[in-house]
Amino acid sequence: IVPELFKTCLSNLAAVLLKMNSLSDARNVCDEAFRIMARYKRPNDVKLLFRRGHVLFLLKDYEGAATDLTAAAQMSPQDTKIAAQLKEARRHVELKRKREKQAYSKMFSD
């Protein structure tokens, strides 16, 4: 029960930090919650995955966001908020890949 309590408290703290726009701190708190859950061999939590995915998205870590949001979507496939955020993260990943591809093609075409 103690790891669940820590997870809940840290998840709520991350939500507060997110509201305060302290994105790096929110990410660190989410990471710590995941470390605690792993230490006690507890399963991932969909709410925490969504929260960290959202924070990573705002930090422009679209690949990391897509990873967390994909895991959250697999755990809760009917959640439309998760699906919408995942779709947006995947769109940004694809845009980034296209920009990188264009940049590299220009480098090697000269």
Side-chain angles (χ1 to χ4, degrees):
I1 186 142
V2 171
E4 295 296 326
L5 183 59
F6 275 126
K7 178 204 59 159
T8 301
C9 290
L10 290 173
S11 181
N12 289 339
L13 176 58
V16 170
L17 291 167
L18 182 59
K19 292 270 187 200
M20 294 172 54
N21 208 31
S22 295
L23 301 177
S24 292
D25 290 335
R27 182 195 56 221
N28 292 337
V29 167
C30 287
D31 290 344
E32 182 60 26
F34 280 110
R35 279 191 289 277
I36 288 170
M37 298 305 286
R39 187 177 314 133
Y40 290 97
K41 296 179 178 31
R42 296 292 199 270
N44 280 337
D45 179 80
V46 69
K47 190 175 190 180
L48 194 56
L49 282 164
F50 176 70
R51 188 156 288 148
R52 186 171 68 178
H54 183 63
V55 169
L56 292 172
F57 181 86
L58 294 174
L59 287 168
K60 297 183 179 6
D61 177 359
Y62 302 119
E63 290 90 356
T67 299
D68 278 357
L69 293 166
T70 297
Q74 289 171 348
M75 294 172 72
S76 186
Q78 73 286 354
D79 191 314
T80 57
K81 285 179 75 173
I82 294 172
Q85 186 81 57
L86 176 57
K87 182 178 179 181
E88 193 64 16
R90 285 179 174 161
R91 186 178 72 79
H92 279 278
V93 167
E94 188 57 35
L95 286 172
K96 182 180 175 189
R97 285 189 183 138
K98 284 181 181 177
R99 275 185 255 137
E100 288 172 351
K101 186 177 178 181
Q102 288 174 344
Y104 287 127
S105 70
K106 287 179 184 177
M107 275 187 228
F108 296 111
S109 68
D110 291 339

